[in-house]
């Protein structure tokens, strides 16, 4: 009994060794792995910003007074880039149409005089909202700038000597948790790392399995005393080890030094969860491998599967922006659980007491996907 | 160039697409499916943010204040927390993204004419969501403050009119042009047409040509009287034609499913789209020259079309906020110009008189890509 178990293990180890050898003899694959875990993550984290920076703005100042200029100069870098003055409304419309400016601020004539006379004045802010993300942010920042200006003007009106604390109003005190400066690379680097982990866990085991089909060596493997599990498990084991090591290298050698990412939770838990996720996704990869005949088809199916998986799990867009039914359906996505766990452990410093439900979801979905992939691939051997 | 040969090749290509399960899916299913999945998936309209409250005042005024959040469609109330530790735990567990702490003596201080600081705790994991969340909270606070001040001044003998004037010396009238409600579904619904037309034609054409190389069937072409130009035309025209059908389908989906308005000139839009398809089909041709295997072609197509279409077109990441080098890179891809044509015709109602320069660039691009492709494709491969 023990002898049989040992032989089983012996074969497994031999096959895993074979997979490692094959991988390390493929320089192109190694180069791709290196690129994804280093340069790709660095570029994505550094280059992708979903915030408003130096948005081109022009002003139509019909007042040309000290007060109007004071308001205008508050619309400045890093959010707005003041590109100069306009002199008529048609010109403004034409520039907005062409997309040459994102917004035009118009100040009415007699702005300063009316303000000093205690009248109510309106300032117009026209935004090109054809890109809704930019439109939302530009309006949000303009409101913020004007709110401050308005407050100062209102205090002037209430009379000299009145302090802000001496009127009944609500003071905003925002505290942003986990990423207090809303440092974008912290978010993007992890998001990209999860994306790459997903892609490679789908692709590498599937590629290793399909290569045997493509080259016909699968026939040789079938006539050996190896069981289908002994053929497939080493592929997943070896690729899993490679991917988890890649994640570790990327986290410690790229993300941490380049973006000062604080790692607040337990690293052991993070790597355990990553290994679990890699296995779950590898199951899906085996399913892909059983549908494909060539590596080319594997790549295409992976690309097809990746898009909905990434977009509907909250990797790139906030789940709060999804329709209600999709938000509910997210519990069926292993990536959604992994995202919750990864950010939870790395940035929030949360432990199992908080994250147990996501971990349970990942384990359940993972075993389901893994056994499904294994079953589907084994069917081909019969 | 003989048209009968081109026609035979087109027929052959068509049969091949129809006979292979995977290519059939790639050709007919994927573009529309991608469009629908991304149209629902890529939304930045943050709404119904789950939040909880710690009300340390429990007064009439604090409840009045809380109601401003309950009634907002931007927030989704999850309940009252007994203490601050509970709020922290809820945030850590992602059950809420935002917590509000109303301090004790909230009502007393406000009625006595003193300002009160209200703490909001925001989950900053996703910086964009945090920024939008902050904006919503500030807007509600500003509204409530105005209401408080107005009452305060009216109690001190101001008329309502005068009170309002004093508190609101300057109003900001924002006009969101072209997309009044600032719906990202309008932006994405139309903008995604660009994405689909950017990646699907190169994918299909590159795979179509490389498939023949990989399977060796290209030697039949090399040995036949078909010229290089005829071969490429026969190979590419079916995909150009299929992509034109896709433009119609996507147009219907964008306006029907995602509700985006189409304000511009349809003839101009279709013409510009055809030019863009010719452009991207040409990119597929270039990819097929570089790749020997279908796997390599698929990865190259991904890197050269899909990633620039998402990152460098202005669809998600504003081109204005890129640094100079990245902005230059963005302008090297046709996606950047076509996206402006799409948004220009759909949302802005523009036509050729404003967008002519973008069309010109696309035409120029198409010409160059096709010339390089035709020049480099040889029937007798160099060893």
């Amino acid at each position: 009994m023990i002898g049989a178990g040992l032989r089983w293990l012996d074969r497994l180890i031999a096959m895993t060794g074979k997979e490692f050898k094959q991988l390390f003899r493929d320089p192109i694959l190694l180069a791709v792995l290196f690129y994804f875990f280093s340069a790709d993550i660095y570029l994505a984290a550094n280059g992708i910003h979903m915030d408003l920076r130096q948005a081109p703005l022009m002003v139509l100042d019909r007042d040309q007074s000290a007060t109007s200029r004071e308001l205008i100069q508050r619309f400045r870098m890093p959010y707005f880039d003041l590109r100069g003055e306009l002199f008529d409304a048609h010109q403004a419309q034409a520039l907005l149409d062409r997309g040459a400016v994102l917004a035009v601020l118009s100040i009415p004539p007699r702005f300063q005089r009316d303000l000093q006379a205690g009248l109510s004045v309106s300032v117009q802010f026209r935004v090109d909202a054809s890109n809704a993300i930019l439109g939302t942010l530009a309006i949000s920042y303009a409101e913020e700038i004007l709110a401050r200006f308005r407050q100062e003007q209102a205090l002037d009106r209430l009379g000299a000597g009145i302090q802000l604390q001496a009127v009944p109003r609500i003071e905003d005190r925002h505290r942003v948790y986990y990423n207090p400066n809303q440092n974008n690379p912290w978010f993007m680097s992890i998001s990209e790392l999860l994306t790459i982990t997903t892609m490679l866990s789908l692709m590498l085991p599937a590629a290793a399995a399909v290569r045997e089909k493509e080259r016909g060596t699968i026939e040789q493997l079938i006539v050996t005393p190896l069981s289908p599990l002994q053929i497939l498990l080493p592929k997943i084991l070896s690729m899993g080890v490679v991917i988890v090591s890649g994640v570790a290298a990327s986290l410690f050698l790229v993300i941490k030094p380049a973006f000062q990412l604080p790692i607040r939770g337990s690293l052991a838990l993070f790597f355990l969860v990553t290994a679990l996720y890699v296995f779950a996704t590898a199951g899906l990869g085996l399913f892909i491998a059983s549908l494909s005949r060539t590596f080319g088809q594997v790549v295409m199916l992976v690309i097809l599967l990746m898009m909905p998986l990434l977009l509907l799990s909250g990797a790139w867009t906030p789940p709060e922006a999804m329709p209600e039914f999709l938000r509910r359906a997210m519990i069926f996505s292993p990536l959604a659980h992994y995202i919750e766990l990864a950010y939870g452990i790395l940035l929030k410093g949360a432990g199992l007491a908080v994250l147990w439900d996501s971990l349970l979801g990942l384990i359940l979905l993972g075993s389901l996907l893994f056994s499904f992939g294994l079953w589907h691939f084994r069917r081909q051997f019969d | 160039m003989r048209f009968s040969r081109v026609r035979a090749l087109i027929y052959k290509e068509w049969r091949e697409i129809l006979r292979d399960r995977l290519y059939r899916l790639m050709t007919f299913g994927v573009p529309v499916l991608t469009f629908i999945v991304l149209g629902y998936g890529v939304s930045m309209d943050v709404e119904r943010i789950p939040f909880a409250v710690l009300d340390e005042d429990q007064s009439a005024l604090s409840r009045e204040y809380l109601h401003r959040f309950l009634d907002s469609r931007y927030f989704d109330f999850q309940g009252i927390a007994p203490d601050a530790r509970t709020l922290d735990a809820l945030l850590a567990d992602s059950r809420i993204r935002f917590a509000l702490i109303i301090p004790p003596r909230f009502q007393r201080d406000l009625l006595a004419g003193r300002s009160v600081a209200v703490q909001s705790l925001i989950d900053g994991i996703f910086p964009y969501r945090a920024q939008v969340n902050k904006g919503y909270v500030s807007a509600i606070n500003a509204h409530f403050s105005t209401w408080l001040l107005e009452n305060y001044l009216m109690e001190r003998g101001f008329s309502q009119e005068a009170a309002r004037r004093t508190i609101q010396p300057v109003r900001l009238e924002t006009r969101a042009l072209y997309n009044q409600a600032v719906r990202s579904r309008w932006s994405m619904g139309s903008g995604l047409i660009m994405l689909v037309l950017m990646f699907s034609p190169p994918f299909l054409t590159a795979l179509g040509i490389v498939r023949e190389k990989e399977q060796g069937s290209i030697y039949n072409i090399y040995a036949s009287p078909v010229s290089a130009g005829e071969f490429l035309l026969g190979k590419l025209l079916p995909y150009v034609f299929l992509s034109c059908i896709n433009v119609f389908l996507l147009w219907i989906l964008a306006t029907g499913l995602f509700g985006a308005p189409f304000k511009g000139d349809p003839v101009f839009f279709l013409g510009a789209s055809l030019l863009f398809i010719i452009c991207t089909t040409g990119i597929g041709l270039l990819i097929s020259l570089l790749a020997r295997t279908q796997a390599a072609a698929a990865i190259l197509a991904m890197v050269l079309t899909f990633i620039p279409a998402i990152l460098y077109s202005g669809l998600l990441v504003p081109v204005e906020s890129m640094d100079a080098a990245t902005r230059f890179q963005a302008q090297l891809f046709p996606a950047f110009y076509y996206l402006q044509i799409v948004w220009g015709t759909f949302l802005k109602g523009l036509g050729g008189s404003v967008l002519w320069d973008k069309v010109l660039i696309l035409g120029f691009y198409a010409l160059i890509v096709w010339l390089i492709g035709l020049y480099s494709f040889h029937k007798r491969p160099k060893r």
Side-chain angles (χ1 to χ4, degrees), chain A residues 1-16 224-227 229-231 233-234:
Chain A
M1 199 55 215
I2 296 169
L6 276 180
R7 205 177 316 131
W8 197 90
L9 209 63
D10 207 31
R11 286 174 182 163
L12 195 76
I13 292 169
M15 283 298 285
T16 312
T224 59
L226 297 168
S227 69
L229 191 67
Q230 278 171 324
I231 297 173
L233 207 56

Side-chain angles (χ1 to χ4, degrees), chain A residues 124 130 171-172 177 311, chain B residues 38 115 122 141 165 175 187:
Chain A
Q124 206 187 46
S130 54
E171 273 172 53
D172 277 331
Y177 270 30
L311 283 161
Chain B
L38 295 189
S115 74
I122 295 169
N141 281 346
R165 260 207 325 256
R175 295 259 167 84
S187 301

Side-chain angles (χ1 to χ4, degrees), chain A residues 205-224:
Chain A
V210 144
R211 198 166 40 214
E212 310 269 9
K213 281 212 245 175
E214 221 174 7
R215 296 186 183 159
T217 46
I218 196 128
E219 309 292 341
Q220 294 173 1
L221 289 174
I222 291 173
V223 295
T224 59

Side-chain angles (χ1 to χ4, degrees), chain B residues 24-43:
Chain B
R24 214 161 49 210
L25 180 71
M26 290 286 297
T27 312
F28 299 103
V30 171
V32 169
L33 226 67
T34 313
F35 188 75
I36 294 176
V37 168
L38 295 189
Y40 278 116
V42 187
S43 165

